[in-house]
Amino acid sequence: MLIGFVALYLAVTVGIGLIAATRVKSMADFAVAGRTLPLAMIVTTTFATWFGSETVLGISAKFVQGGLNSVVEDPFGASMCLVLVGLFFAYRLYKMNLLTIGDFYRKRFGPGIEIFCSVVIMISYLGWVAAQITALGLVFNLLSQGAIPLPAGMILGTAIVLLYTVFGGMFSIAWTDFLQMTIIVVGLLAIAVMAGNLAGGADKVFALAKANDWFRFLPPPTLHDGLFFFAAGITMMLGSIPQQDIFQRVMSSRTADIARKGPVIGGLAYLAFAFVPMFIVASSLLIMPEEARKLLADDPQKVLPTLIMMHMPIVAQVFFFGALISAIMSTASATLLAPSTTFVENILRHLKPNMGDKQMLRALRASLLGFTALVLAYAILMEGTPIYELVSGAYQITLVGAFVPLVCGLYWSRATTQGAVVSIALGILTWVLFFPQLTSWGDVFPGQLAGLLAAGIGMALGSLGPQRMRNRHEGEHPHGHAHPHGYIRAGGKSD
């Protein structure tokens, strides 16, 4: 019965996605839904994209192991990312009428920065999409009681998501996200009520959390702990901002006002609802204490599915797996489309500049297939890596390589292409030097924070240094005499 309900739900989801695909007539329709989505759909697609496997399985497991302090990166940092996008980035970017976030780097800093930042953004999606594919494999493995091996489950789940995404793009994602958010909210709230009752009441669950100090948010008052806590918080909070999936939701909005409000509402809703899986897993320690502790030591991601399968009625199982699959599929579809769009618009277009809109659309669908195959292979290779770690590690490269050029490009008029080059180079090089395989510096200072600081310094030095050199040279050559290397032209303009 459970498998039948899940199969029916998957069929309905794919059907809705394929119906939405009939609206796709151009590259803009596929990539940003023709910029036609209302506020309700921007909120639901933002929420559903963020509410993925790591929220249901990863965050909840981390919470009962280390309390709120251990999940500062997600949901706290992740939700504040969406709020910051809505408050400081969405309106300005929407008014620029861009197709991808890479287009901004090209317009502000030139094609070199566009290509490099686009590559950085594409790489960052490997971990996030792999986490969703891993979770899909886990779901089908659990539903079949082990009859479907984890790698086979990954392939099956990926094929289902790909089926409607490759045809409908952002239109299919937005329509299916609307359904999936409804299933997530209704399903997980119903299970939370059942779990609270089985645990003896919500008050007992909260008492357990208080007794275990799970509500402690701030780290111990030491410089080392404070730095690593801060670095964890900003990894997704800032590192997720220069991401194509968020940008696509902004650009899919019907108006600039919707583009600004949608991420803020979606982010706050995500933060509030991320506590529901935490409550359910905390309840499991009262409902099945021995099993829960054993799973926490062995594979924490299986605590919640085991609770549902072993201790709840079939209706709860249907609700749970419907909500879980909804969460995974909504995130997976978005994170497959985003890097594929970036590749076609910001890399392939430079290699084939004469492509028409229909050719671009075909290329986008082909790149979607190619990227999916690549990420599927990566997910199978990384089998055994915790879902939370796959996701949290994905944003460090965009934090150190793409965030500073985006912020300075929007808000600092003196930022230059040279500054962006130095920022990216210095940020990524510093971050790499903190890898545990190279040095032990990462034990003393968080590498992503070091990379971010270096990127900021690089932007300032790269932008202001040449300007000061020009000013100094103009003072030495007030009449605009030619520089030996052609650095200054008459009138003080650079060559």
Side-chain angles (χ1 to χ4, degrees):
M1 187 182 293
L2 175 60
I3 294 173
F5 274 115
V6 169
L8 177 62
Y9 171 68
L10 290 173
V12 170
T13 302
V14 171
I16 290 174
L18 292 177
I19 291 171
T22 60
R23 299 189 61 180
V24 175
K25 308 298 181 185
S26 67
M27 174 77 169
D29 289 341
F30 194 88
V32 291
R35 291 166 65 102
T36 61
L37 298 184
L39 178 62
M41 276 195 165
I42 295 299
V43 170
T44 54
T45 193
T46 303
F47 174 93
T49 299
W50 236 232
F51 202 95
S53 60
E54 72 283 358
T55 314
V56 180
L57 302 176
I59 293 173
S60 56
K62 290 276 289 185
F63 171 71
V64 296
Q65 290 176 306
L68 292 179
N69 176 260
S70 64
V71 294
V72 60
E73 196 163 346
D74 191 4
F76 292 99
S79 61
M80 288 304 103
C81 163
L82 294 176
V83 173
L84 292 175
V85 166
L87 293 178
F88 300 107
F89 295 89
Y91 190 85
R92 287 178 178 236
L93 291 171
Y94 187 89
K95 286 295 186 181
M96 294 178 73
N97 195 22
L98 309 171
L99 191 65
T100 68
I101 190 72
D103 290 347
F104 168 80
Y105 292 108
R106 181 182 68 251
K107 285 195 171 185
R108 186 63 174 83
F109 298 116
I113 300 300
E114 170 200 7
I115 292 171
F116 196 89
C117 284
S118 296
V119 171
V120 164
I121 291 168
M122 287 168 60
I123 291 172
S124 73
Y125 279 100
L126 280 175
W128 198 11
V129 187
Q132 312 314 315
I133 291 174
T134 300
L136 282 169
L138 179 62
V139 168
F140 287 114
N141 178 262
L142 289 170
L143 282 172
S144 65
Q145 297 182 348
I148 299 177
L150 194 60
M154 293 181 188
I155 295 170
L156 176 61
T158 304
I160 294 169
V161 174
L162 187 62
L163 181 61
Y164 65 82
T165 306
V166 78
F167 287 105
M170 193 61 204
F171 265 125
S172 290
I173 290 171
W175 284 31
T176 54
D177 279 356
F178 194 85
L179 167 68
Q180 288 160 346
M181 180 182 171
T182 304
I183 299 296
I184 291 168
V185 171
V186 174
L188 288 182
L189 282 177
I191 289 168
V193 172
M194 295 181 197
N197 291 335
L198 289 172
D203 57 328
K204 287 188 168 55
V205 180
F206 288 121
L208 176 68
K210 187 175 181 181
N212 284 282
D213 202 23
W214 290 341
F215 292 136
R216 180 176 57 85
F217 180 69
L218 295 175
T222 66
L223 179 61
H224 178 274
D225 291 323
L227 283 173
F228 278 83
F229 176 82
F230 178 74
I234 65 170
T235 297
M236 288 187 73
M237 185 188 302
L238 305 182
S240 296
I241 290 175
Q243 287 282 6
Q244 177 60 18
D245 59 294
I246 298 178
F247 181 82
Q248 278 180 295
R249 276 133 194 81
V250 169
M251 298 306 293
S252 298
S253 304
R254 184 183 294 161
T255 66
D257 190 53
I258 290 173
R260 180 169 47 192
K261 291 177 179 177
V264 174
I265 299 171
L268 294 175
Y270 171 71
L271 177 61
F273 206 75
F275 286 95
V276 176
M278 297 186 211
F279 175 85
I280 298 170
V281 171
S283 301
S284 71
L285 288 169
L286 294 173
I287 300 168
M288 50 174 206
E290 297 302 322
E291 295 166 279
R293 288 188 177 89
K294 184 179 178 181
L295 286 169
L296 286 172
D298 180 37
D299 189 352
Q301 294 166 171
K302 290 185 178 179
V303 174
L304 190 48
T306 301
L307 170 67
I308 304 299
M309 294 292 286
M310 302 298 295
H311 297 273
M312 289 201 174
I314 186 67
V315 64
Q317 295 175 25
V318 170
F319 272 129
F320 172 74
F321 282 101
L324 179 57
I325 291 174
S326 294
I328 298 168
M329 289 175 64
S330 61
T331 303
S333 58
T335 48
L336 286 172
L337 179 63
S340 305
T341 308
T342 300
F343 171 75
V344 172
E345 171 69 11
N346 303 114
I347 297 176
L348 185 62
R349 186 186 283 273
H350 290 283
L351 301 175
K352 295 186 175 182
N354 297 320
M355 285 194 301
D357 192 75
K358 297 296 183 184
Q359 292 174 302
M360 290 280 287
L361 185 55
R362 284 196 296 269
L364 180 49
R365 284 175 168 144
S367 70
L368 184 59
L369 291 169
F371 186 78
T372 301
L374 176 65
V375 175
L376 179 60
Y378 178 75
I380 293 173
L381 183 67
M382 297 296 289
E383 184 181 338
T385 304
I387 290 170
Y388 191 91
E389 301 304 323
L390 282 171
V391 172
S392 61
Y395 300 102
Q396 293 191 16
I397 188 169
T398 46
L399 176 67
V400 302
F403 175 72
V404 170
L406 175 62
V407 174
C408 292
L410 277 175
Y411 283 98
W412 191 35
S413 61
R414 299 179 71 181
T416 65
T417 300
Q418 296 98 315
V421 170
V422 178
S423 172
I424 293 167
L426 201 57
I428 292 179
L429 177 61
T430 303
W431 173 62
V432 169
L433 288 175
F434 278 73
F435 282 7
Q437 297 90 336
L438 299 178
T439 68
S440 58
W441 298 350
D443 297 330
V444 181
F445 195 90
Q448 70 268 41
L449 181 56
L452 177 63
L453 293 173
I457 293 169
M459 176 60 81
L461 293 177
S463 296
L464 298 179
Q467 291 173 14
R468 289 183 178 180
M469 288 176 64
R470 292 191 193 103
N471 293 339
R472 184 182 303 169
H473 191 79
E474 287 172 1
E476 294 174 358
H477 302 276
H479 300 294
H481 298 306
H483 189 274
H485 302 291
Y487 196 66
I488 297 292
R489 292 188 309 196
K493 295 181 181 179
S494 61
D495 284 334

mmCIF file with all atom_site columns, all heavy atoms in Angstrom, residues 82-96:
data_model
loop_
_atom_site.group_PDB
_atom_site.id
_atom_site.type_symbol
_atom_site.label_atom_id
_atom_site.label_alt_id
_atom_site.label_comp_id
_atom_site.label_asym_id
_atom_site.label_entity_id
_atom_site.label_seq_id
_atom_site.pdbx_PDB_ins_code
_atom_site.Cartn_x
_atom_site.Cartn_y
_atom_site.Cartn_z
_atom_site.occupancy
_atom_site.B_iso_or_equiv
_atom_site.pdbx_formal_charge
_atom_site.auth_seq_id
_atom_site.auth_comp_id
_atom_site.auth_asym_id
_atom_site.auth_atom_id
_atom_site.pdbx_PDB_model_num
ATOM 1   N N   . LEU A 1 82 ? 18.429 33.754 2.185   1.00 0.00 ? 82 LEU A N   1
ATOM 2   C CA  . LEU A 1 82 ? 17.271 34.154 1.395   1.00 0.00 ? 82 LEU A CA  1
ATOM 3   C C   . LEU A 1 82 ? 16.767 35.537 1.796   1.00 0.00 ? 82 LEU A C   1
ATOM 4   O O   . LEU A 1 82 ? 16.377 36.344 0.946   1.00 0.00 ? 82 LEU A O   1
ATOM 5   C CB  . LEU A 1 82 ? 16.151 33.128 1.550   1.00 0.00 ? 82 LEU A CB  1
ATOM 6   C CG  . LEU A 1 82 ? 16.431 31.734 0.975   1.00 0.00 ? 82 LEU A CG  1
ATOM 7   C CD1 . LEU A 1 82 ? 15.281 30.794 1.284   1.00 0.00 ? 82 LEU A CD1 1
ATOM 8   C CD2 . LEU A 1 82 ? 16.668 31.802 -0.524  1.00 0.00 ? 82 LEU A CD2 1
ATOM 9   N N   . VAL A 1 83 ? 16.785 35.818 3.089   1.00 0.00 ? 83 VAL A N   1
ATOM 10  C CA  . VAL A 1 83 ? 16.352 37.132 3.571   1.00 0.00 ? 83 VAL A CA  1
ATOM 11  C C   . VAL A 1 83 ? 17.273 38.220 3.030   1.00 0.00 ? 83 VAL A C   1
ATOM 12  O O   . VAL A 1 83 ? 16.815 39.274 2.551   1.00 0.00 ? 83 VAL A O   1
ATOM 13  C CB  . VAL A 1 83 ? 16.321 37.158 5.109   1.00 0.00 ? 83 VAL A CB  1
ATOM 14  C CG1 . VAL A 1 83 ? 16.045 38.572 5.618   1.00 0.00 ? 83 VAL A CG1 1
ATOM 15  C CG2 . VAL A 1 83 ? 15.260 36.202 5.642   1.00 0.00 ? 83 VAL A CG2 1
ATOM 16  N N   . LEU A 1 84 ? 18.586 37.981 3.079   1.00 0.00 ? 84 LEU A N   1
ATOM 17  C CA  . LEU A 1 84 ? 19.550 38.962 2.564   1.00 0.00 ? 84 LEU A CA  1
ATOM 18  C C   . LEU A 1 84 ? 19.384 39.167 1.065   1.00 0.00 ? 84 LEU A C   1
ATOM 19  O O   . LEU A 1 84 ? 19.497 40.291 0.562   1.00 0.00 ? 84 LEU A O   1
ATOM 20  C CB  . LEU A 1 84 ? 20.975 38.515 2.880   1.00 0.00 ? 84 LEU A CB  1
ATOM 21  C CG  . LEU A 1 84 ? 21.378 38.531 4.358   1.00 0.00 ? 84 LEU A CG  1
ATOM 22  C CD1 . LEU A 1 84 ? 22.774 37.941 4.531   1.00 0.00 ? 84 LEU A CD1 1
ATOM 23  C CD2 . LEU A 1 84 ? 21.333 39.951 4.918   1.00 0.00 ? 84 LEU A CD2 1
ATOM 24  N N   . VAL A 1 85 ? 19.132 38.072 0.329   1.00 0.00 ? 85 VAL A N   1
ATOM 25  C CA  . VAL A 1 85 ? 18.906 38.192 -1.111  1.00 0.00 ? 85 VAL A CA  1
ATOM 26  C C   . VAL A 1 85 ? 17.723 39.102 -1.383  1.00 0.00 ? 85 VAL A C   1
ATOM 27  O O   . VAL A 1 85 ? 17.783 39.995 -2.241  1.00 0.00 ? 85 VAL A O   1
ATOM 28  C CB  . VAL A 1 85 ? 18.678 36.800 -1.747  1.00 0.00 ? 85 VAL A CB  1
ATOM 29  C CG1 . VAL A 1 85 ? 18.099 36.932 -3.151  1.00 0.00 ? 85 VAL A CG1 1
ATOM 30  C CG2 . VAL A 1 85 ? 19.977 36.012 -1.792  1.00 0.00 ? 85 VAL A CG2 1
ATOM 31  N N   . GLY A 1 86 ? 16.632 38.894 -0.650  1.00 0.00 ? 86 GLY A N   1
ATOM 32  C CA  . GLY A 1 86 ? 15.445 39.717 -0.855  1.00 0.00 ? 86 GLY A CA  1
ATOM 33  C C   . GLY A 1 86 ? 15.661 41.174 -0.493  1.00 0.00 ? 86 GLY A C   1
ATOM 34  O O   . GLY A 1 86 ? 15.189 42.071 -1.193  1.00 0.00 ? 86 GLY A O   1
ATOM 35  N N   . LEU A 1 87 ? 16.403 41.423 0.580   1.00 0.00 ? 87 LEU A N   1
ATOM 36  C CA  . LEU A 1 87 ? 16.583 42.791 1.068   1.00 0.00 ? 87 LEU A CA  1
ATOM 37  C C   . LEU A 1 87 ? 17.598 43.595 0.264   1.00 0.00 ? 87 LEU A C   1
ATOM 38  O O   . LEU A 1 87 ? 17.421 44.795 0.039   1.00 0.00 ? 87 LEU A O   1
ATOM 39  C CB  . LEU A 1 87 ? 16.996 42.771 2.542   1.00 0.00 ? 87 LEU A CB  1
ATOM 40  C CG  . LEU A 1 87 ? 15.959 42.259 3.550   1.00 0.00 ? 87 LEU A CG  1
ATOM 41  C CD1 . LEU A 1 87 ? 16.547 42.247 4.958   1.00 0.00 ? 87 LEU A CD1 1
ATOM 42  C CD2 . LEU A 1 87 ? 14.692 43.111 3.509   1.00 0.00 ? 87 LEU A CD2 1
ATOM 43  N N   . PHE A 1 88 ? 18.683 42.943 -0.180  1.00 0.00 ? 88 PHE A N   1
ATOM 44  C CA  . PHE A 1 88 ? 19.811 43.709 -0.728  1.00 0.00 ? 88 PHE A CA  1
ATOM 45  C C   . PHE A 1 88 ? 20.204 43.376 -2.172  1.00 0.00 ? 88 PHE A C   1
ATOM 46  O O   . PHE A 1 88 ? 20.974 44.124 -2.773  1.00 0.00 ? 88 PHE A O   1
ATOM 47  C CB  . PHE A 1 88 ? 21.040 43.518 0.168   1.00 0.00 ? 88 PHE A CB  1
ATOM 48  C CG  . PHE A 1 88 ? 20.843 43.970 1.574   1.00 0.00 ? 88 PHE A CG  1
ATOM 49  C CD1 . PHE A 1 88 ? 20.700 43.061 2.608   1.00 0.00 ? 88 PHE A CD1 1
ATOM 50  C CD2 . PHE A 1 88 ? 20.765 45.323 1.877   1.00 0.00 ? 88 PHE A CD2 1
ATOM 51  C CE1 . PHE A 1 88 ? 20.514 43.477 3.914   1.00 0.00 ? 88 PHE A CE1 1
ATOM 52  C CE2 . PHE A 1 88 ? 20.577 45.757 3.179   1.00 0.00 ? 88 PHE A CE2 1
ATOM 53  C CZ  . PHE A 1 88 ? 20.447 44.836 4.204   1.00 0.00 ? 88 PHE A CZ  1
ATOM 54  N N   . PHE A 1 89 ? 19.711 42.284 -2.722  1.00 0.00 ? 89 PHE A N   1
ATOM 55  C CA  . PHE A 1 89 ? 20.188 41.880 -4.038  1.00 0.00 ? 89 PHE A CA  1
ATOM 56  C C   . PHE A 1 89 ? 19.082 41.765 -5.094  1.00 0.00 ? 89 PHE A C   1
ATOM 57  O O   . PHE A 1 89 ? 19.306 42.075 -6.257  1.00 0.00 ? 89 PHE A O   1
ATOM 58  C CB  . PHE A 1 89 ? 20.924 40.536 -3.933  1.00 0.00 ? 89 PHE A CB  1
ATOM 59  C CG  . PHE A 1 89 ? 22.178 40.589 -3.108  1.00 0.00 ? 89 PHE A CG  1
ATOM 60  C CD1 . PHE A 1 89 ? 22.129 40.356 -1.740  1.00 0.00 ? 89 PHE A CD1 1
ATOM 61  C CD2 . PHE A 1 89 ? 23.398 40.872 -3.694  1.00 0.00 ? 89 PHE A CD2 1
ATOM 62  C CE1 . PHE A 1 89 ? 23.284 40.413 -0.973  1.00 0.00 ? 89 PHE A CE1 1
ATOM 63  C CE2 . PHE A 1 89 ? 24.555 40.927 -2.940  1.00 0.00 ? 89 PHE A CE2 1
ATOM 64  C CZ  . PHE A 1 89 ? 24.497 40.704 -1.577  1.00 0.00 ? 89 PHE A CZ  1
ATOM 65  N N   . ALA A 1 90 ? 17.911 41.260 -4.703  1.00 0.00 ? 90 ALA A N   1
ATOM 66  C CA  . ALA A 1 90 ? 16.877 40.894 -5.678  1.00 0.00 ? 90 ALA A CA  1
ATOM 67  C C   . ALA A 1 90 ? 16.451 42.068 -6.550  1.00 0.00 ? 90 ALA A C   1
ATOM 68  O O   . ALA A 1 90 ? 16.391 41.937 -7.789  1.00 0.00 ? 90 ALA A O   1
ATOM 69  C CB  . ALA A 1 90 ? 15.672 40.303 -4.946  1.00 0.00 ? 90 ALA A CB  1
ATOM 70  N N   . TYR A 1 91 ? 16.146 43.201 -5.956  1.00 0.00 ? 91 TYR A N   1
ATOM 71  C CA  . TYR A 1 91 ? 15.610 44.331 -6.712  1.00 0.00 ? 91 TYR A CA  1
ATOM 72  C C   . TYR A 1 91 ? 16.613 44.824 -7.748  1.00 0.00 ? 91 TYR A C   1
ATOM 73  O O   . TYR A 1 91 ? 16.277 45.031 -8.923  1.00 0.00 ? 91 TYR A O   1
ATOM 74  C CB  . TYR A 1 91 ? 15.232 45.462 -5.759  1.00 0.00 ? 91 TYR A CB  1
ATOM 75  C CG  . TYR A 1 91 ? 14.456 46.587 -6.418  1.00 0.00 ? 91 TYR A CG  1
ATOM 76  C CD1 . TYR A 1 91 ? 13.076 46.511 -6.555  1.00 0.00 ? 91 TYR A CD1 1
ATOM 77  C CD2 . TYR A 1 91 ? 15.118 47.714 -6.907  1.00 0.00 ? 91 TYR A CD2 1
ATOM 78  C CE1 . TYR A 1 91 ? 12.362 47.536 -7.161  1.00 0.00 ? 91 TYR A CE1 1
ATOM 79  C CE2 . TYR A 1 91 ? 14.417 48.735 -7.510  1.00 0.00 ? 91 TYR A CE2 1
ATOM 80  C CZ  . TYR A 1 91 ? 13.037 48.647 -7.637  1.00 0.00 ? 91 TYR A CZ  1
ATOM 81  O OH  . TYR A 1 91 ? 12.333 49.658 -8.244  1.00 0.00 ? 91 TYR A OH  1
ATOM 82  N N   . ARG A 1 92 ? 17.870 44.997 -7.323  1.00 0.00 ? 92 ARG A N   1
ATOM 83  C CA  . ARG A 1 92 ? 18.894 45.518 -8.234  1.00 0.00 ? 92 ARG A CA  1
ATOM 84  C C   . ARG A 1 92 ? 19.155 44.553 -9.385  1.00 0.00 ? 92 ARG A C   1
ATOM 85  O O   . ARG A 1 92 ? 19.293 44.964 -10.534 1.00 0.00 ? 92 ARG A O   1
ATOM 86  C CB  . ARG A 1 92 ? 20.194 45.780 -7.464  1.00 0.00 ? 92 ARG A CB  1
ATOM 87  C CG  . ARG A 1 92 ? 20.129 46.998 -6.548  1.00 0.00 ? 92 ARG A CG  1
ATOM 88  C CD  . ARG A 1 92 ? 21.428 47.174 -5.781  1.00 0.00 ? 92 ARG A CD  1
ATOM 89  N NE  . ARG A 1 92 ? 21.386 48.363 -4.955  1.00 0.00 ? 92 ARG A NE  1
ATOM 90  C CZ  . ARG A 1 92 ? 22.285 49.362 -5.021  1.00 0.00 ? 92 ARG A CZ  1
ATOM 91  N NH1 . ARG A 1 92 ? 23.274 49.303 -5.887  1.00 0.00 ? 92 ARG A NH1 1
ATOM 92  N NH2 . ARG A 1 92 ? 22.196 50.396 -4.228  1.00 0.00 ? 92 ARG A NH2 1
ATOM 93  N N   . LEU A 1 93 ? 19.249 43.257 -9.071  1.00 0.00 ? 93 LEU A N   1
ATOM 94  C CA  . LEU A 1 93 ? 19.520 42.267 -10.113 1.00 0.00 ? 93 LEU A CA  1
ATOM 95  C C   . LEU A 1 93 ? 18.330 42.114 -11.063 1.00 0.00 ? 93 LEU A C   1
ATOM 96  O O   . LEU A 1 93 ? 18.512 41.963 -12.272 1.00 0.00 ? 93 LEU A O   1
ATOM 97  C CB  . LEU A 1 93 ? 19.876 40.921 -9.477  1.00 0.00 ? 93 LEU A CB  1
ATOM 98  C CG  . LEU A 1 93 ? 21.224 40.874 -8.741  1.00 0.00 ? 93 LEU A CG  1
ATOM 99  C CD1 . LEU A 1 93 ? 21.369 39.564 -7.978  1.00 0.00 ? 93 LEU A CD1 1
ATOM 100 C CD2 . LEU A 1 93 ? 22.389 41.048 -9.709  1.00 0.00 ? 93 LEU A CD2 1
ATOM 101 N N   . TYR A 1 94 ? 17.135 42.157 -10.521 1.00 0.00 ? 94 TYR A N   1
ATOM 102 C CA  . TYR A 1 94 ? 15.939 42.020 -11.366 1.00 0.00 ? 94 TYR A CA  1
ATOM 103 C C   . TYR A 1 94 ? 15.868 43.160 -12.379 1.00 0.00 ? 94 TYR A C   1
ATOM 104 O O   . TYR A 1 94 ? 15.510 42.941 -13.548 1.00 0.00 ? 94 TYR A O   1
ATOM 105 C CB  . TYR A 1 94 ? 14.676 42.012 -10.495 1.00 0.00 ? 94 TYR A CB  1
ATOM 106 C CG  . TYR A 1 94 ? 13.409 41.707 -11.268 1.00 0.00 ? 94 TYR A CG  1
ATOM 107 C CD1 . TYR A 1 94 ? 12.986 40.393 -11.444 1.00 0.00 ? 94 TYR A CD1 1
ATOM 108 C CD2 . TYR A 1 94 ? 12.637 42.725 -11.823 1.00 0.00 ? 94 TYR A CD2 1
ATOM 109 C CE1 . TYR A 1 94 ? 11.827 40.106 -12.153 1.00 0.00 ? 94 TYR A CE1 1
ATOM 110 C CE2 . TYR A 1 94 ? 11.485 42.450 -12.536 1.00 0.00 ? 94 TYR A CE2 1
ATOM 111 C CZ  . TYR A 1 94 ? 11.079 41.137 -12.690 1.00 0.00 ? 94 TYR A CZ  1
ATOM 112 O OH  . TYR A 1 94 ? 9.940  40.855 -13.402 1.00 0.00 ? 94 TYR A OH  1
ATOM 113 N N   . LYS A 1 95 ? 16.210 44.355 -11.952 1.00 0.00 ? 95 LYS A N   1
ATOM 114 C CA  . LYS A 1 95 ? 16.137 45.521 -12.834 1.00 0.00 ? 95 LYS A CA  1
ATOM 115 C C   . LYS A 1 95 ? 17.157 45.444 -13.972 1.00 0.00 ? 95 LYS A C   1
ATOM 116 O O   . LYS A 1 95 ? 17.008 46.107 -14.991 1.00 0.00 ? 95 LYS A O   1
ATOM 117 C CB  . LYS A 1 95 ? 16.369 46.807 -12.029 1.00 0.00 ? 95 LYS A CB  1
ATOM 118 C CG  . LYS A 1 95 ? 15.191 47.204 -11.146 1.00 0.00 ? 95 LYS A CG  1
ATOM 119 C CD  . LYS A 1 95 ? 13.979 47.567 -11.986 1.00 0.00 ? 95 LYS A CD  1
ATOM 120 C CE  . LYS A 1 95 ? 12.833 48.111 -11.156 1.00 0.00 ? 95 LYS A CE  1
ATOM 121 N NZ  . LYS A 1 95 ? 11.648 48.432 -11.987 1.00 0.00 ? 95 LYS A NZ  1
ATOM 122 N N   . MET A 1 96 ? 18.192 44.622 -13.806 1.00 0.00 ? 96 MET A N   1
ATOM 123 C CA  . MET A 1 96 ? 19.215 44.477 -14.850 1.00 0.00 ? 96 MET A CA  1
ATOM 124 C C   . MET A 1 96 ? 18.763 43.533 -15.959 1.00 0.00 ? 96 MET A C   1
ATOM 125 O O   . MET A 1 96 ? 19.442 43.417 -16.985 1.00 0.00 ? 96 MET A O   1
ATOM 126 C CB  . MET A 1 96 ? 20.519 43.980 -14.228 1.00 0.00 ? 96 MET A CB  1
ATOM 127 C CG  . MET A 1 96 ? 21.156 44.973 -13.271 1.00 0.00 ? 96 MET A CG  1
ATOM 128 S SD  . MET A 1 96 ? 22.680 44.351 -12.507 1.00 0.00 ? 96 MET A SD  1
ATOM 129 C CE  . MET A 1 96 ? 23.793 44.443 -13.917 1.00 0.00 ? 96 MET A CE  1
#
